[in-house]
Amino acid sequence: MREVRRRFHEELHALEGEVQQTGRQAQLLLERVLQALARGDPAVCDEVIRGDDEVDQLYLDAERRILGLLALQTPVASDLRLLTALLHITCIWNASPTRR
């Protein structure tokens, strides 16, 4: 049983890091969007669209892993709060302006 919980916490820690990294990528993408608007540069716009597709995939991967941890590990207390926060963050990404 301890091994299962240890693996759960390792997965949770890795997932938290990946969500943070995806957030940094989304922030860089936002900076590129602002550059594209300021310059009116279609090439930068295309780059932003490609980058958005990558962030979308990272979001889907994170969501799948979060739901898997919720389903398989039945976390409680701080672990449940962290997973819920990570899921909320990924939902916000999915509702970003590029989806409209």
Side-chain angles (χ1 to χ4, degrees):
M1 184 67 157
R2 288 183 189 176
E3 179 64 22
V4 170
R5 294 309 291 173
R6 184 186 64 73
R7 283 194 313 249
F8 166 74
H9 282 103
E10 287 174 356
E11 177 73 12
L12 183 58
H13 180 72
L15 183 58
E16 184 178 10
E18 289 171 22
V19 168
Q20 290 173 356
Q21 177 62 31
T22 302
R24 287 188 288 275
Q25 286 181 260
Q27 182 179 4
L28 292 173
L29 193 58
L30 176 60
E31 291 169 6
R32 295 296 289 165
V33 166
L34 296 175
Q35 289 174 2
L37 288 173
R39 295 180 187 162
D41 186 344
V44 176
C45 293
D46 290 339
E47 179 185 324
V48 167
I49 291 168
R50 283 190 304 276
D52 182 61
D53 291 343
E54 292 172 18
V55 170
D56 287 348
Q57 188 58 53
L58 293 170
Y59 153 75
L60 292 171
D61 293 344
E63 182 184 48
R64 179 186 47 76
R65 290 176 59 200
I66 290 166
L67 294 175
L69 287 175
L70 286 169
L72 297 175
Q73 297 294 330
T74 58
V76 296
S78 63
D79 293 339
L80 181 58
R81 287 189 296 272
L82 177 58
L83 278 171
T84 303
L86 293 173
L87 185 58
H88 182 71
I89 290 166
T90 59
C91 288
I92 290 170
W93 289 337
N94 195 40
S96 76
T98 57
R99 312 281 176 272
R100 291 174 179 69

